[in-house]
Amino acid sequence: MIPEQYRQYEDTVTLGCVNYGSIWNDKAASIGKVKTLIGEAADQGINILVFPELSLSGYESNEDNTMHREFAETIPGPATEEIAALTKQLDIYVILGMPERDPGDAATCYISCPLLGPEGFIGNYRKLHLGTPPLFRESLCFTGGDSVPVFATRYGPIGIQICADFWVFPELSRILMLKGARIIVNSTASMSMPGRPFYITSMTAARATENMVYTASANLVGKERTLSYYGCSTIAGPSYPRFSHIHAQAEDKEEIVSATLSFDKLHRFREAVSLDKLRRSDVIRNEFNQLDTSRN
């Protein structure tokens, strides 16, 4: 049941998420911790491992918003090269959250997720939608990205999103699916608030069901300077006859969760639902065009 365009790729994948407690404001220690966790994941047979947003620095900014700029590196750069050497050795793909410095403008930084794998550095995603005060300080430190790429792996094209891009803008997940992604990963720093564990689980499952893909959200856990995070990293996706299924879910402690997923099973469900045939792309495109025209 796997379509011709995907037959060159592996039939199954073991996808993992790190429920990660950041070492705030200590990049060297963070790199060491990340490498240890990558080794543990490889020992567990995980093929693709997702870390949360800004894992290499911690998510929370310091009081004068300088920490992330000080820790930011170009991608590729020293940190990604060090970790890529390990992903080559261990034959594993890793999506890692970190602050990136623009190679052409040292004053411009991004919230980024490079993809590293057996091939080394593969590509990089920059967060599009930045949180603003009073709840968030991202826009005081970072610049938003400007593209929605997919990345080639031996398990097929995958899409990467970061936090609000995934939670609040579902059209981005749809774009990634239309570009061929069967796995969409979400690197997030979702803070502790009432109802949050249900939120991360239900929204990760919703993005999977909407697009007939596998999704994974990796979240921070524990406390940084003043902010706390609830973990609950989740892997979801259709599992016939269930349109929505939680394949793995973490709790509120540090751990790696994983699930082995079948692409044959996914494509059988896609064929039964006929999503591509049902979608009225002409109407959707026309409505977006009208919205753009009315705003201009």
Side-chain angles (χ1 to χ4, degrees), residues 159-171:
I160 301 172
Q161 295 183 267
I162 303 176
C163 207
D165 296 342
F166 183 85
W167 302 132
V168 186
F169 298 94
E171 57 268 42

Side-chain angles (χ1 to χ4, degrees), residues 26-212:
D26 191 337
K27 185 167 69 174
S30 296
I31 291 172
K33 182 174 183 176
V34 162
K35 291 172 69 175
T36 297
L37 289 167
I38 292 171
E40 290 180 9
D43 287 344
Q44 294 177 28
I46 291 172
N47 307 124
I48 300 175
L49 183 67
V50 189
F51 282 87
E53 184 176 6
L54 293 174
S55 296
L56 278 194
S57 57
Y59 173 80
E60 186 176 4
S61 180
N62 58 349
E63 291 183 1
D64 61 3
N65 301 308
T66 59
M67 183 193 78
H68 291 111
R69 292 183 182 277
E70 292 169 0
F71 283 176
E73 294 185 8
T74 58
I75 298 176
T80 52
E81 288 174 1
E82 182 175 348
I83 294 169
L86 184 62
T87 61
K88 288 180 182 180
Q89 176 189 337
L90 298 179
D91 195 33
I92 187 173
Y93 291 95
V94 170
I95 294 95
L96 180 66
M98 63 178 288
E100 176 195 4
R101 187 177 307 283
D102 190 294
D105 179 6
T108 300
C109 297
Y110 309 96
I111 299 177
S112 296
C113 277
L115 172 62
L116 312 167
E119 307 90 335
F121 171 73
I122 296 167
N124 181 43
Y125 175 73
R126 294 169 173 168
K127 186 175 185 177
L128 300 184
H129 300 94
L130 302 177
T132 57
L135 283 179
F136 305 99
R137 302 172 74 178
E138 296 172 13
S139 61
L140 303 178
C141 310
F142 298 103
T143 298
D146 59 6
S147 64
V148 188
V150 295
F151 302 99
T153 74
R154 71 175 61 152
Y155 305 97
I158 72 170
I160 301 172
Q161 295 183 267
I162 303 176
C163 207
D165 296 342
F166 183 85
W167 302 132
V168 186
F169 298 94
E171 57 268 42
L172 298 179
S173 296
R174 179 56 52 88
I175 288 168
L176 290 169
M177 182 275 285
L178 291 173
K179 285 185 170 184
R182 300 180 295 180
I183 299 171
I184 298 175
V185 304
N186 171 31
S187 177
T188 185
S190 193
M191 291 176 281
S192 298
M193 295 180 184
R196 284 297 211 167
F198 172 77
Y199 178 84
I200 194 170
T201 304
S202 60
M203 295 300 288
T204 302
R207 295 292 168 268
T209 302
E210 291 164 352
N211 297 292
M212 288 282 132

